[in-house]
Amino acid sequence: MRMTTLSLRSPTTRRAVLHYAEMWIVMGLGMAILGPLVRLGFDAAGWSAVLDRTDWRAMIMATEMALPMAAWMRVRRHSRRSVLEMTVWMYVPFVVLLVPYWTGAISGGALMGIGHGLMGVAMAVVVYRHRHDNH
């Protein structure tokens, strides 16, 4: 078994780190742009109470991040399969944390905070696994 070392001097590692940073920037823009639009839409439809629920808000926020991230990955010529894989791993931490949230084992703040932290870890693992893909 060959050990792989990570070095920022490696073009492969630099490309992976850049890609990871780009995705977070695009996801932040998605929340900043889509978030207010989603709130306006929910208000206009009379569904604003949905946004008072942390569980729904977590999934909506994940969507606000996933859509622009997926679009950016396609711009960077990632395959649909790679985009789908990354998108799924963005949702998994929140879905897993919904059960302890619903049972009262964790708070809404913990759901959001831990969910975002685990999302970052999950995305980093996916980027690392695909670091040798040429994009």
Side-chain angles (χ1 to χ4, degrees):
M1 178 188 221
R2 184 174 157 249
M3 290 293 290
T4 303
T5 59
L6 279 178
S7 167
L8 287 179
R9 293 181 179 170
S10 159
T12 300
T13 301
R14 281 196 312 264
R15 191 169 46 250
V17 169
L18 175 63
H19 178 55
Y20 184 77
E22 288 173 347
M23 286 192 303
W24 276 99
I25 290 167
V26 171
M27 288 163 37
L29 288 171
M31 287 191 319
I33 295 167
L34 295 177
L37 295 174
V38 167
R39 277 186 285 288
L40 283 172
F42 274 74
D43 287 343
W47 300 342
S48 58
V50 169
L51 298 175
D52 294 335
R53 292 189 47 150
T54 304
D55 49 357
W56 278 88
R57 204 168 60 246
M59 300 311 289
I60 290 167
M61 186 181 299
T63 302
E64 292 167 359
M65 292 186 291
L67 291 172
M69 182 277 314
W72 183 249
M73 285 183 71
R74 290 300 291 160
V75 165
R76 299 271 290 166
R77 299 177 191 244
H78 288 270
S79 69
R80 284 188 169 91
R81 183 173 184 225
S82 293
V83 173
L84 179 62
E85 178 183 11
M86 183 64 76
T87 303
V88 166
W89 282 106
M90 289 176 67
Y91 284 96
V92 166
F94 292 106
V95 170
V96 168
L97 290 170
L98 285 174
V99 173
Y101 172 72
W102 289 331
T103 63
I106 63 172
S107 68
L111 169 65
M112 294 300 240
I114 296 168
H116 279 90
L118 292 175
M119 175 197 287
V121 171
M123 291 173 63
V125 168
V126 174
V127 168
Y128 178 76
R129 281 189 10 179
H130 293 281
R131 71 191 178 283
H132 295 294
D133 295 352
N134 293 318
H135 301 291

